[in-house]
Amino acid sequence: MTDSSPKTIDTLLSEHRTFVPPADFVAQANVSDASVYTTADADYESWWASWAEKLQWDKKWDTVLDWQLPYAKWFVGGKLNASVQCLDRHVDAGNGGRIAFHFEGEPGDCRTLTYADMLAGVCQVANGLKSLGVEKGDRVTLYMPMVPELAMTVLACARIGAIFSVVFAGFSPTSLKDRVQDQAAKLIVCADGAWRGGKVLDLKKVVNEAVADCPSVENVLVWPRGGALKSSAEDLDRDVKWADVVSSQATTCEPESMDAEDPLFILYTSGTTGKPKGILHTTGGYMTGALATSNLVFDLKPETDVYWCTADIGWITGHSYIVFGPMANGVTQVMYEGAPNYPKFDRFWELVAKYKVSVFYTAPTAIRAFMKWGDEHPDQHDLTSLRLLGSVGEPINPEAWVWYLHHIGGGNCPIVDTWWQTETGGIMITPLPGITTTVPGSATTPFPGIEAKLLNEDGSEVIGAGGGYLALTRPWPSMLRGIWGDNERYEETYWSRFPGKYFAGDGAKRDEDGNLWILGRVDDVMNVSGHRLSTMEIESALVAHEAVAEAAVIGIAHELKGQTPVGFVILRNGYEATPELSEELRAFVAKEIGGLARPEKVIFTPELPKTRSGKIMRRLLRDVAEGKAIGDVTTLADPSVLQGLQQEYEAKES
Ligand code: WT7
């Protein structure tokens, strides 16, 4: 008997305390035998080498791993090109006619690009880059929306051995400038505009502002979004047009044979200081990790699957699970440019139905937004093509998990909750969909070959059930190789807290069944809509404003975004604490860093809670902001500061 009345979240939670992979999924899964874990554990070097062997090498490696803690070299002596893995390998195998991307622009413009089209396009861009003097080892910064040309430019850089660095096209001129300067980029490739929420964002204007302070940049190569768009930003001397540089280039380009350890890209992420870290990834190991994890975690079937990862290529998720992993597997993908609720709340579900998406990968913050928008939006579309769902970026709350399973997955799609980081390059803790019995909210267990441990404060290991600091205790091929230009910070940030172990910055617990639950960051980093923001970075932005004497920023719990920043500000003499100034400061942060960083609130206060040694106690600010009972205040220099703050906060709330 079927019950047609919609099930409540509570009912769903009680029905899905665990989820066993359905028999029909297991029967077709790329891996369904749990012995994969023991095989990989017994000899992780051979396990990873077996994946590296599936890549096309110009020269095979001599040594799988050279581990001089904390510096790893994988596939030493091997030579290959990353773009060949994603393009030529498939075209040469006779699969050039397979669709690589179903692209859909926000206004509804559609393009279909096969693997052969992508290869030709990548070669044209590569030749264009060469014509601008870009050589192996040069840095190229990309600032583009989600369009096929972004993937092409990434692969074109890889093809000629230029080190690319994608900056998410929502970052401010200052953030873009900082990144371009840090890597001393020779070229910026950008689009003049991007569609988002029915409007065109003027990307070129951002680039113009940034590039004014970037003497290393010789040219700005501009791709016109749709042609009909006119950027309000003027052309500058260094600008060159796509039509002049790329469009008439030859559609073949000999790939550069790269050393396995040659840099592939730099991707910036927030750390605990005001300065973002340029995370460095290299070629052979990164490609091996991307190929293996996307094959096993997303169970990819290149002949039949239509895979859609909704991330932006500006984040690591888009690097590993749009460009390199899925393309190395030769699968067909959907790429969508714009907002999920444009023109209506069902845009994503319309696309899933239109392209018969079978594997779908998104973030908990998006899932919570879908829940809020209403069940009717997915429910009115045929989503039966879906067979596997993924989640990434932050802990997924069990309510969102069961909603995702039921309303998107029709109750029978496995969900893979994948924990990893910009630094890890690929998925580290995750179910394997044909093997793992999942539990809503848990990322379950390490990927084969990965070893994760929970550590106590003193570095001793938590055995069995319990909580601790999450550390990775073996090298893995797609691990970061350093921080661009700052090895000291690399060693200090990741390898000094627990000597000899990679400290991820997250806390986690292990349950009685051995499943891992990620609890969130334990450092001054917050996670806003699945993106990393540093409290220090926002504080630096606030104090850059003339009215601000001192600032403290915390991340507080937020229903949709997971966390959101709140700023506490002490004004300079002569400035008045007005609602207008509070608004101005919020906008100022958004302008300095990017919209993501805009504080939810800015609260003025005459004092901040500090220890006697002057350290701001953010934990107490969090208690105030989340309306919790105030924790231990015995170390405060002046406990009365908190009462004043609480009053300020409550006044602001009402
Ligand atoms: C941080 C890494 C990995 C791509 C997107 C974010 C958090 C990531 C999960 C998950 C709980 C997660 C962690 C991690 N995180 N995935 N499945 N469950 N937390 O990449 O910007 O490098 O951030 O995101 O806190 O440390 P990132």
Side-chain angles (χ1 to χ4, degrees):
M1 240 183 51
T2 53
D3 176 2
S4 60
S5 64
K7 290 181 175 173
T8 64
I9 293 293
D10 283 341
T11 310
L12 292 173
L13 281 170
S14 65
E15 284 177 5
H16 295 290
R17 294 193 199 285
T18 60
F19 180 92
V20 180
D24 54 347
F25 190 98
V26 176
Q28 60 80 66
N30 288 356
V31 58
S32 55
D33 182 347
S35 69
V36 63
Y37 289 102
T38 37
T39 309
D41 269 344
D43 181 354
Y44 68 91
E45 289 187 28
S46 300
W47 158 252
W48 289 117
S50 74
W51 281 95
E53 271 157 23
K54 299 184 205 294
L55 297 169
Q56 184 176 312
W57 295 79
D58 304 332
K59 176 180 174 289
K60 202 181 162 178
W61 58 89
D62 310 311
T63 312
V64 174
L65 172 64
D66 172 6
W67 181 217
Q68 314 277 342
L69 199 139
Y71 295 96
K73 288 186 184 153
W74 282 87
F75 310 114
V76 186
K79 286 190 162 281
L80 79 171
N81 183 284
S83 82
V84 169
Q85 316 309 319
C86 301
L87 301 164
D88 309 59
R89 220 157 44 98
H90 310 312
V91 174
D92 294 347
N95 295 321
R98 186 182 297 152
I99 293 168
F101 288 104
H102 292 289
F103 168 73
E104 180 129 340
E106 198 191 64
D109 50 323
C110 299
R111 287 158 68 193
T112 306
L113 291 113
T114 64
Y115 273 91
D117 295 334
M118 286 298 290
L119 175 57
V122 166
C123 288
Q124 287 193 307
V125 181
N127 290 326
L129 297 181
K130 281 189 184 171
S131 77
L132 295 172
V134 178
E135 291 173 4
K136 178 176 171 178
D138 285 343
R139 273 81 58 209
V140 178
T141 309
L142 279 56
Y143 192 75
M144 299 175 85
M146 280 298 288
V147 293
E149 280 69 14
L150 173 53
M152 280 181 198
T153 309
V154 161
L155 290 166
C157 289
R159 196 160 188 91
I160 65 172
I163 306 170
F164 64 86
S165 183
V166 187
V167 176
F168 172 63
F171 273 116
S172 69
T174 312
S175 300
L176 176 59
K177 178 199 71 185
D178 289 347
R179 287 157 174 75
V180 172
Q181 285 180 347
D182 185 69
Q183 65 193 250
K186 192 172 196 174
L187 177 74
I188 296 178
V189 185
C190 71
D192 55 358
W195 285 95
R196 184 88 196 175
K199 290 199 277 291
V200 183
L201 308 176
D202 195 339
L203 300 188
K204 185 60 180 21
K205 200 170 155 200
V206 175
V207 174
N208 283 5
E209 232 180 290
V211 85
D213 253 348
C214 298
S216 66
V217 174
E218 292 174 8
N219 288 113
V220 176
L221 173 59
V222 188
W223 182 72
R225 168 66 184 104
L229 297 176
K230 268 278 161 278
S231 170
S232 63
E234 61 198 304
D235 292 343
L236 302 179
D237 291 349
R238 287 179 269 183
D239 290 357
V240 287
K241 292 195 169 65
W242 196 271
D244 299 335
V245 174
V246 175
S247 304
S248 53
Q249 293 287 348
T251 53
T252 56
C253 171
E254 198 54 37
E256 189 75 34
S257 193
M258 304 295 285
D259 193 277
E261 282 298 333
D262 274 336
L264 180 61
F265 66 89
I266 304 167
L267 182 59
Y268 289 85
T269 187
S270 293
T272 51
T273 71
K275 190 179 184 308
K277 303 176 280 196
I279 303 301
L280 177 68
H281 283 285
T282 58
T283 308
Y286 175 80
M287 285 309 301
T288 302
L291 177 80
T293 52
S294 41
N295 186 287
L296 296 185
V297 177
F298 300 117
D299 193 50
L300 295 179
K301 308 282 190 293
E303 290 84 16
T304 48
D305 270 324
V306 178
Y307 165 90
W308 184 16
C309 166
T310 69
D312 192 287
I313 294 177
W315 311 112
I316 190 69
T317 307
H319 284 58
S320 303
Y321 299 111
I322 295 176
V323 182
F324 292 101
M327 291 192 77
N329 278 281
V331 77
T332 297
Q333 302 189 61
V334 168
M335 180 189 277
Y336 170 62
E337 174 188 31
N341 53 352
Y342 187 85
K344 289 190 295 170
F345 291 111
D346 65 342
R347 186 67 183 270
F348 273 19
W349 318 124
E350 191 188 273
L351 290 174
V352 167
K354 176 175 174 183
Y355 295 111
K356 301 206 167 22
V357 172
S358 54
V359 181
F360 182 74
Y361 192 30
T362 196
T365 184
I367 300 169
R368 290 191 296 268
F370 303 145
M371 288 174 77
K372 189 177 158 205
W373 294 341
D375 301 350
E376 64 275 24
H377 305 298
D379 290 356
Q380 64 178 305
H381 290 281
D382 177 5
L383 307 181
T384 52
S385 55
L386 289 168
R387 64 180 191 89
L388 176 59
L389 303 174
S391 170
V392 62
E394 52 176 317
I396 177 167
N397 46 314
E399 294 76 15
W401 199 103
V402 293
W403 184 91
Y404 195 30
L405 171 70
H406 192 74
H407 289 279
I408 308 304
N412 60 8
C413 292
I415 296 178
V416 285
D417 172 6
T418 60
W419 176 89
W420 58 296
Q421 310 179 297
T422 304
E423 292 87 341
T424 68
I427 293 169
M428 296 285 110
I429 299 178
T430 178
L432 289 181
I435 297 178
T436 313
T437 293
T438 51
V439 189
S442 167
T444 69
T445 52
F447 186 81
I450 301 298
E451 185 176 66
K453 287 187 175 165
L454 300 182
L455 305 175
N456 293 307
E457 202 68 49
D458 64 2
S460 61
E461 194 182 333
V462 176
I463 308 285
Y469 297 103
L470 180 60
L472 300 173
T473 49
R474 272 180 202 154
W476 65 99
S478 66
M479 67 194 287
L480 76 165
R481 298 302 196 266
I483 295 176
W484 184 254
D486 200 345
N487 280 346
E488 210 175 302
R489 190 174 178 193
Y490 167 69
E491 293 172 19
E492 156 71 28
T493 309
Y494 303 107
W495 302 94
S496 71
R497 177 72 180 79
F498 303 108
K501 301 186 171 82
Y502 173 84
F503 173 47
D506 282 312
K509 65 171 189 185
R510 192 187 289 110
D511 67 20
E512 299 291 342
D513 301 318
N515 286 317
L516 293 167
W517 300 69
I518 312 298
L519 300 173
R521 304 291 304 191
V522 294
D523 50 12
D524 286 331
V525 169
M526 68 188 96
N527 188 322
V528 180
S529 301
H531 303 303
R532 239 200 268 185
L533 284 173
S534 128
T535 53
M536 287 272 287
E537 222 176 323
I538 305 177
E539 286 167 5
S540 316
L542 280 169
V543 296
H545 190 282
E546 56 184 12
V548 177
E550 211 179 328
V553 169
I554 52 162
I556 65 162
H558 186 275
E559 193 197 347
L560 292 181
K561 302 177 187 170
Q563 279 188 303
T564 186
V566 167
F568 291 85
V569 161
I570 303 178
L571 289 174
R572 285 182 194 280
N573 283 338
Y575 287 91
E576 217 184 313
T578 61
E580 292 74 30
L581 183 55
S582 167
E583 268 313 296
E584 185 180 325
L585 291 174
R586 293 179 60 225
F588 186 75
V589 171
K591 192 178 158 292
E592 285 287 297
I593 303 175
L596 260 182
R598 183 194 303 271
E600 192 75 17
K601 302 181 189 122
V602 169
I603 316 269
F604 298 115
T605 172
E607 287 298 339
L608 288 167
K610 287 182 184 163
T611 60
R612 288 181 196 89
S613 62
K615 190 173 180 305
I616 297 172
M617 295 191 70
R618 293 194 180 77
R619 171 174 61 78
L620 297 177
L621 290 173
R622 211 166 293 133
D623 290 346
V624 171
E626 291 182 343
K628 289 195 193 136
I630 303 295
D632 183 11
V633 294
T634 48
T635 53
L636 269 189
D638 176 6
S640 72
V641 166
L642 272 179
Q643 283 157 9
L645 256 178
Q646 251 173 330
Q647 282 160 11
E648 286 280 334
Y649 202 85
E650 280 154 18
K652 179 97 185 177
E653 288 289 82
S654 55

